[in-house]
Amino acid sequence: MGSGNGFFSTQAFNLDAKWLIDPQQLFVGPKIGEGAHAKVYEGKYKNQTVAVKVVRRGETPEEIARREGRFDREVAMLSRVKHKNLVKFIGACKEPIMVIVTELLLGGTLRKYLLSMRPKCLDMRIAVGFALDIARAMECLHSHGIIHRDLKPENLILTEDHKTVKLADFGLAREESLTEMMTAETGTYRWMAPELYSTVTLRHGEKKHYNHKVDAYSFAIVLWELIHNKLPFEGMSNLQAAYAAAFKNVRPSAEDLPEDLASIVTSCWQEDPNARPNFNQIIQMLLHHLSTISPPEPVMPPKRTTSENAVLPPESPGTSSLMAARDDVGETPKATVEDRPRSFFFCFNQCY
C-alpha cells in the first residue's frame, strides 16, 4: 500500500522471468571482493563479463530467513530501478544458491581510489563531479521510495576511466513507509545518521523511526571525505565516532570548505532529519558551486592493478574458494578433460 509521499512498504516479491539467471550459463572467476554476508567474483554470463555476488544463507533457521528476506528485497529493488549512476542489474537466482549478477566495473571502489591518491586531494571539480554522480543516484532511489542506508566509499564504484561513480550494494536498502518502523540493522557507524543510534551501541534488530533523510547525512560525510581525502572522525574508532555524532553532536570540521560546499555538508548533517535537504536540492547546490570554479588540471588516473578478465575453470582457486563455506565436505573431485563440466550450477552440485 503506498503512502502519501510516494514511498511504499515492502511486499513479498516473485522474480520476473526476464531477470532469472540460468546457472548453467554462469561462469565464476577470481574473487574481487568480500563482505560480512557475501563474496563478489568476476565472471561471465552469456559471453558478458559480469560481477557475481554470492550471498551466504547462514546456519540457523532465523539467520537463513533473515538473509533470504534481505536478498529478496535487494533483488526486487535492483530490478525496478535504472540509472546511469547505479550499477546495472543483470539478473539473479535463488537456487542452488543466492546469486546477484551485475555489470562489472573495473575502476575499483572510491575508497581504494582515494587511498591511492593520498596525501594528495582530488581536484575540486572532480570531487564535486563525483558528488553529483552520487547525489543523482540517491535522488533516483528516493524517487522510487528506496532508502539505501549504507552510503559510504566502499559501496561506490568507479568506471575504468575513473570519470564516473556508480552506487552499488543494496543489501541494506529498504523501502520506506511512514506507517511502519524499520529495523536498525544498518550500515557502517562512521557514516550513519545519529537517529539510527539508540544507546552507545546499536541493538541489532531494534525497531526505529527514521526516513530517507538518513541518506542525506551519510552523503555529507562522503562529500567531506571526497574533498579532504581523509577518514572522517579521524583518530576515533567506529563506535567512538557514532557516539560523538549521536550524543555530542560532533561533526567533521567544515571551516576550511568553500562557502557553498560548507553550506551543503552542514545542512545535510544537521541533527534534525527534517531540516536536511532532499537530493534534488543537493544536486542544484552542487551544480551552482560547479559553475563557480575553473576547469581542473589534467590528471593521469592511477594505474589499474586488477587482473585480466580471465575466466577460471571449475577446479581453479576462485571457484574452489566460492564453495569453501562447508569444511566437512573435503576436496572437490577433479573432472577429466572429456567430462569436465564448466557451469556454476554443476560446481554447486559437486561441492554440496
Side-chain angles (χ1 to χ4, degrees):
M1 191 72 184
S3 65
N5 69 344
F7 288 80
F8 298 88
S9 60
T10 302
Q11 304 290 336
F13 92 108
N14 293 308
L15 186 60
D16 190 300
K18 70 179 181 180
W19 299 116
L20 195 59
I21 288 293
D22 177 6
Q24 298 279 7
Q25 299 189 58
L26 184 61
F27 298 86
V28 178
K31 185 174 73 173
I32 55 177
E34 184 170 2
H37 307 302
K39 294 180 181 180
V40 181
Y41 299 84
E42 184 177 323
K44 288 276 188 180
Y45 184 64
K46 294 182 176 179
N47 296 318
Q48 179 182 357
T49 303
V50 295
V52 182
K53 178 179 178 180
V54 180
V55 182
R56 291 186 281 271
R57 268 201 165 89
E59 300 296 330
T60 66
E62 295 79 11
E63 191 176 38
I64 290 170
R66 184 168 61 249
R67 292 188 187 178
E68 286 187 348
R70 180 184 291 179
F71 175 85
D72 290 352
R73 287 191 299 271
E74 182 172 7
V75 172
M77 293 173 196
L78 282 167
S79 67
R80 82 168 206 258
V81 292
K82 185 177 181 180
H83 190 275
K84 66 178 182 178
N85 296 118
L86 296 174
V87 171
K88 181 183 177 184
F89 177 64
I90 294 171
C93 63
K94 205 167 183 178
E95 298 295 340
I97 53 177
M98 297 187 292
V99 172
I100 294 173
V101 179
T102 64
E103 67 174 321
L104 177 67
L105 298 174
L106 297 175
T109 66
L110 181 60
R111 159 68 60 238
K112 289 181 179 177
Y113 184 75
L114 291 174
L115 284 172
S116 73
M117 293 198 65
R118 288 182 181 172
K120 295 181 180 179
C121 294
L122 289 174
D123 179 274
M124 188 63 76
R125 271 188 82 90
I126 294 174
V128 175
F130 285 171
L132 270 168
D133 286 345
I134 300 164
R136 285 168 173 149
M138 293 307 310
E139 198 276 333
C140 174
L141 290 188
H142 286 186
S143 71
H144 284 83
I146 297 171
I147 311 173
H148 191 274
R149 305 199 307 171
D150 199 18
L151 182 57
K152 59 185 179 182
E154 287 80 357
N155 288 337
L156 295 160
I157 317 295
L158 277 75
T159 53
E160 188 173 12
D161 61 7
H162 296 113
K163 291 182 178 179
T164 304
V165 171
K166 297 192 180 190
L167 177 63
D169 199 340
F170 286 45
L172 291 177
R174 284 292 183 95
E175 294 181 284
E176 181 181 34
S177 168
L178 297 178
T179 60
E180 70 175 0
M181 300 173 76
M182 291 175 284
T183 59
E185 50 171 352
T186 45
T188 308
Y189 290 129
R190 196 175 297 268
W191 289 268
M192 287 167 62
E195 61 267 27
L196 291 171
Y197 312 131
S198 55
T199 58
V200 176
T201 59
L202 216 63
R203 292 194 290 272
H204 180 75
E206 181 179 351
K207 299 289 185 178
K208 298 288 291 180
H209 275 301
Y210 61 87
N211 61 22
H212 60 286
K213 293 298 184 71
V214 298
D215 287 335
Y217 177 93
S218 300
F219 174 82
I221 304 297
V222 172
L223 176 56
W224 185 93
E225 195 170 354
L226 274 170
I227 296 166
H228 291 87
N229 199 9
K230 293 179 181 178
L231 189 69
F233 303 102
E234 204 164 29
M236 299 184 190
S237 69
N238 281 332
L239 281 176
Q240 287 171 334
Y243 184 88
F247 300 103
K248 297 184 178 180
N249 203 27
V250 173
R251 302 289 187 271
S253 174
E255 291 181 1
D256 57 344
L257 291 176
E259 185 177 351
D260 288 346
L261 295 181
S263 176
I264 294 171
V265 296
T266 56
S267 62
C268 286
W269 65 35
Q270 287 193 75
E271 186 174 18
D272 178 7
N274 295 319
R276 298 171 196 159
N278 61 45
F279 276 98
N280 184 53
Q281 294 169 318
I282 292 169
I283 290 167
Q284 296 310 311
M285 290 188 282
L286 288 169
L287 286 171
H288 176 265
H289 180 70
L290 200 58
S291 70
T292 66
I293 55 181
S294 58
E297 295 293 326
V299 176
M300 290 296 292
K303 184 178 179 181
R304 185 166 64 87
T305 57
T306 57
S307 65
E308 293 298 317
N309 296 341
V311 178
L312 303 184
E315 74 277 18
S316 65
T319 306
S320 298
S321 64
L322 168 63
M323 299 304 164
R326 293 276 297 275
D327 295 327
D328 57 342
V329 177
E331 292 186 2
T332 302
K334 293 185 178 180
T336 64
V337 173
E338 289 77 19
D339 65 359
R340 179 185 295 153
R342 300 184 61 198
S343 72
F344 177 73
F345 183 79
F346 182 88
C347 185
F348 172 84
N349 286 339
Q350 279 292 98
C351 297
Y352 284 82

